[in-house]
Amino acid sequence: MSLSAPGRAEAGRPASKAGARRVATLAFAAQGVSVAAVYTTVPAVTERVKLAPLLTTTTMVAVALMAGVGSFLGLTAIRHAGPVSTMRGSLLTAAAALTLIGWAPGEASVICAYILFGTALGALDVGINTRAAVIERAYGRSVFGSFYTAWSVGGVVAALLTAAAARLEWPVADGLDVQAGILLFVAVCIRTHTVPSSEGPSATAPQPPLGRRVWIRLLPFGLVLLVVYVVDSTVSAWSAVYLRRTLAASLTVAPMAYAAYQVGTVVGRAATDRLVQRFGAVAVVRTAALSVAVALAGMAAAPSWPFAILAAGAVGLGASVLAPLCLASAARLRPAASEVVLARLNLFNYAGVVTGGAVSGLLGSTGRFRLAYAAPAVLAVLLLAGARHFTRPPSPARTVAAAPPVSP
């Protein structure tokens, strides 16, 4: 991937939306690796430092809360340095946090490392989604699904690495070091490319206020995203613990539910863009919501860990399309201030993570993990009400034709 600085673009060098897309795809994959590395090692880390179940739940909630703080720190960084530099810095911080989690000698140090990770995660989240919104406008068609496919592939890779490390009886710190190395590699590979878009603002340009009408239109997407991340955090953060404590799975098997969940999301997200173009976003969202509800009920009733792993994969298959379509539709409400819209929308994201993680953790710590998976099934049905607000991306003729290059 070649470096394409703004000055070179102005001198006649062609803008590279394909290069920008490759960079964003790498960043999404790296974020998937980081999240999976943290969630799939929770049983091993908590057993190593002897973290109590209630304190584990509190720590996971703190990660989500700090991710919300990190989201606004990332917004500030985008305005001063641009989304690409924000992605690079966030990846380096997340890599450091993974290493600290693995080598933390006690409760206080591991909790601080988790909090650092949550902050980096939030900043990375707003950075990659802002960049993805600009790239989708340049393409003039749905491409958000491909970015989240890469996110899920990264999650699968990290979950399998965790399982392999447990199988080889590596210390949890060694496995986390390998996954931190992946993040460092991606951070080094990231380059800046200009993107042709008639609507993308400069990273340092003052942003117009959103206005009350935009906030009202943003609310349905926020509620959908909240429910999506209640479901996601329930499966992602606690599936390994559920298999370990409720279904008596080994440390080698416990991460496989997360891996299956991410495999399901890879399949679903790989088909998202084609499905939206063929059937429309509304039909895709409604079908996905019903699928999630049925799969969560199956996971709650799982008689053994193999059945739970299959059900987790089915949840991922349905849930996979909802977040990227939600973010893409919301970003189109105000293209000139997409980073502001997405930073605000991330509040619902982390509210869902906090709610799902806290409730599931509390129920799990009292031995009621099955109820923790049955309750979100009801919430998934409620997503049907928000499906009508989802939109297709604008046509290429309106977004790309005769558009000058804009610095990311």
Side-chain angles (χ1 to χ4, degrees), residues 90-106:
S90 300
L91 285 171
L92 292 173
T93 306
L98 290 182
T99 302
L100 292 173
I101 290 170
W103 291 98

Side-chain angles (χ1 to χ4, degrees), residues 1-3 23 26-27 30 84-85 87-93 95 180-193:
M1 290 174 288
S2 61
L3 178 66
V23 167
L26 275 176
V84 177
S85 295
M87 291 189 291
R88 187 183 297 114
S90 300
L91 285 171
L92 292 173
T93 306
I182 295 174
L183 269 62
L184 287 173
F185 174 77
V186 173
V188 169
C189 290
I190 284 181
R191 296 291 184 271
T192 301
H193 295 80

Side-chain angles (χ1 to χ4, degrees), residues 125-343:
D125 203 32
V126 71
I128 59 177
N129 282 297
T130 297
R131 190 64 171 151
V134 173
I135 294 168
E136 183 173 83
R137 288 200 302 273
Y139 273 84
R141 57 183 172 84
S142 178
V143 297
F144 248 87
S146 66
F147 293 130
Y148 276 83
T149 300
W151 195 102
S152 299
V153 170
V156 172
V157 170
L160 293 178
L161 284 174
T162 300
R167 179 70 175 175
L168 296 172
E169 298 183 351
W170 286 7
V172 65
D174 291 349
L176 285 171
D177 283 346
V178 172
Q179 292 157 331
I182 295 174
L183 269 62
L184 287 173
F185 174 77
V186 173
V188 169
C189 290
I190 284 181
R191 296 291 184 271
T192 301
H193 295 80
T194 55
V195 180
S197 172
S198 60
E199 297 170 292
S202 170
T204 59
Q207 303 299 338
L210 294 184
R212 182 179 299 178
R213 181 171 298 180
V214 174
W215 282 115
I216 293 173
R217 295 173 63 193
L218 186 64
L219 184 60
F221 298 114
L223 295 177
V224 170
L225 203 63
L226 187 149
V227 175
V228 168
Y229 278 96
V230 165
V231 173
D232 180 81
S233 65
T234 301
V235 178
S236 298
W238 298 108
S239 60
V241 183
Y242 173 47
L243 263 66
R244 178 72 170 161
R245 294 181 185 171
T246 303
L247 302 178
S250 67
L251 283 175
T252 302
V253 170
M256 298 309 292
Y258 185 93
Y261 174 73
Q262 293 300 337
V263 167
T265 63
V266 169
V267 175
R269 286 170 175 169
T272 296
D273 296 328
R274 292 193 188 95
L275 290 173
V276 169
Q277 291 168 18
R278 182 170 182 180
F279 300 107
V282 174
V284 172
V285 170
R286 286 174 177 165
T287 303
L290 290 175
S291 300
V292 169
V294 173
L296 281 171
M299 196 168 180
S304 59
W305 61 259
F307 192 92
I309 290 174
L310 291 174
V315 174
L317 186 65
S320 59
V321 307
L322 297 172
L325 293 183
C326 192
L327 292 165
S329 295
R332 287 191 286 272
L333 294 178
R334 183 64 66 83
S338 59
E339 70 271 27
V340 180
V341 172
L342 292 175

